[in-house]
Amino acid sequence: MTKHSPIATPDQPQDSGRSLLERAAQAYAFDDIFRASAPAPAPAPAESAPQIVTQPAPAPVAPAETVAPETDMQPVSAMPVYAPVWDGPVESVDTISLAEQGYIVPGGSVTAMSEEFRIVKRQLLRNVADIRGKSATKAHRILIGSALPGEGKTFCAVNLALSMAAEQDMDVLLVDADFGKPSVLKALGLERDGFVRAGLMDALLDPSIDVEGLVIRTDVPNLSVLPAGRAVNNDTEILASASTVKVLDALSTGHGERIILFDSPPALAASPAAALASHVGQLLIIVRADQTSENALRDAVGLLSGCETIQLLLNGVKFSTSGRRFGSYYGKGA
């Protein structure tokens, strides 16, 4: 494990033993947040390695400043061996638009951005292996959310999907679950002007629709996308119904290494995020540096407590006292 020096906050001296997100968790009093929103915590496990922020014994997720060990996902013998095949033509992701928007470019050169998300990805994949013992299906579902709009949840969801798709033995499905303001297709250049593409909500409303037939195959190896679909006024109630379990199981079952990432609405701006949280194994809350307030984070955690494994990702950090410059090792300055 490579250990980087942490960043000191303006009101706190530098602590060489804490990562950026450990310090962020302390600044936001994250332990207190969980104690206020969760049942009585179980005894914390013995320390053996850096822990992520989980419920009920939270500790921060590996952010851009913490290097998590490379851990390969192990096959699950209990999962069926049949892997559903997405139908339909392959559509091209607009890599030029991705580069212009600051996203990771598939097949592009190694950059500071791509290295940052590699670190976060490794931590999330390690968690998948740990959660499998509780729920082999939910373990492969990860919800990317935030407290309020403008904190970078879609940016992080798309970049994580692109980074995970680079894995050699992994199938990644990115689901746009922000039904009110879907933006995943636009980010990837898959949007069709004046045309709302059928997606997750359509499959939830109509049991006769095969949700696998709505998945968009992309020319990025191992990456597929499921649009949000039509906008409705009762999306929260639909997500809390039994039909959601059936549809998500249809997407999950059949492939032990399929990862499903959900780009959810902001928790404090739209209620569907709370309903989605109960269907996933991990929740990654994007915390915007110098923007997300502690009160907003407390409220978001309370609403999203249907997921047992909650983590923080600090976004928008523009400085590092450690002098770390990811990407320069490969010939590109960061």
Side-chain angles (χ1 to χ4, degrees):
M1 176 182 293
T2 303
K3 189 171 183 180
H4 299 283
S5 299
I7 298 175
T9 55
D11 59 346
Q12 182 180 12
Q14 183 169 340
D15 181 352
S16 61
R18 290 182 176 272
S19 69
L20 177 61
L21 230 74
E22 286 174 326
R23 298 165 65 79
Q26 182 180 21
Y28 282 102
F30 204 56
D31 288 351
D32 294 337
I33 294 174
F34 276 114
R35 281 195 290 270
S37 63
E47 270 190 48
S48 58
Q51 300 294 311
I52 58 170
V53 175
T54 57
Q55 190 176 9
V61 69
E65 298 296 323
T66 303
V67 177
E70 296 281 338
T71 305
D72 294 330
M73 298 174 61
Q74 299 299 319
V76 180
S77 57
M79 296 293 289
V81 296
Y82 168 71
V85 178
W86 311 130
D87 294 324
V90 174
E91 300 189 24
S92 298
V93 169
D94 190 341
T95 55
I96 295 177
S97 177
L98 284 178
E100 291 174 347
Q101 297 176 79
Y103 287 96
I104 295 173
V105 177
S109 59
V110 176
T111 64
M113 178 71 70
S114 64
E115 287 293 270
E116 300 281 4
F117 279 97
R118 276 178 171 174
I119 292 172
V120 178
K121 170 183 67 175
R122 292 260 69 84
Q123 181 72 60
L124 293 174
L125 295 182
R126 185 175 68 180
N127 295 344
V128 169
D130 294 338
I131 298 171
R132 279 172 173 165
K134 298 179 180 178
S135 174
T137 301
K138 283 187 178 182
H140 292 255
R141 302 173 188 163
I142 304 172
L143 186 67
I144 313 299
S146 63
L148 296 167
E151 294 175 331
K153 66 173 183 61
T154 299
F155 181 80
C156 291
V158 171
N159 277 323
L160 278 172
L162 292 168
S163 183
M164 287 187 176
E167 295 290 306
Q168 296 299 303
D169 302 305
M170 188 167 294
D171 178 13
V172 179
L173 175 62
L174 176 59
V175 180
D176 194 338
D178 192 343
F179 305 105
K181 294 184 178 180
S183 54
V184 168
L185 296 186
K186 181 178 180 180
L188 295 171
L190 300 173
E191 192 177 43
R192 300 294 178 261
D193 293 338
F195 178 68
V196 177
R197 306 187 68 155
L200 176 60
M201 184 55 66
D202 298 276
L204 295 176
L205 290 169
D206 187 352
S208 67
I209 295 178
D210 180 8
V211 67
E212 295 180 32
L214 303 179
V215 173
I216 301 172
R217 301 165 62 202
T218 77
D219 59 351
V220 176
N222 305 324
L223 177 64
S224 299
V225 179
L226 179 62
R230 75 179 80 173
V232 296
N233 295 326
N234 59 335
D235 46 11
T236 301
E237 290 75 16
I238 293 171
L239 289 170
S241 68
S243 62
T244 302
V245 176
K246 294 179 181 179
V247 170
L248 296 185
D249 283 347
L251 293 171
S252 303
T253 304
H255 199 303
E257 303 303 331
R258 173 168 295 141
I259 297 293
I260 303 181
L261 298 173
F262 296 87
D263 178 29
S264 83
L268 302 185
S271 56
L276 279 167
S278 63
H279 297 291
V280 301
Q282 294 187 70
L283 169 61
L284 187 64
I285 299 180
I286 308 305
V287 179
R288 185 78 179 184
D290 302 321
Q291 179 174 318
T292 307
S293 69
E294 179 181 338
N295 287 337
L297 183 58
R298 284 177 178 272
D299 291 343
V301 169
L303 289 172
L304 301 174
S305 58
C307 177
E308 295 183 0
T309 305
I310 301 178
Q311 303 142 100
L312 301 178
L313 176 61
L314 191 61
N315 184 36
V317 179
K318 298 180 180 179
F319 62 92
S320 173
T321 57
S322 68
R324 187 207 64 203
R325 295 180 61 83
F326 274 140
S328 58
Y329 184 81
Y330 297 90
K332 293 284 186 180

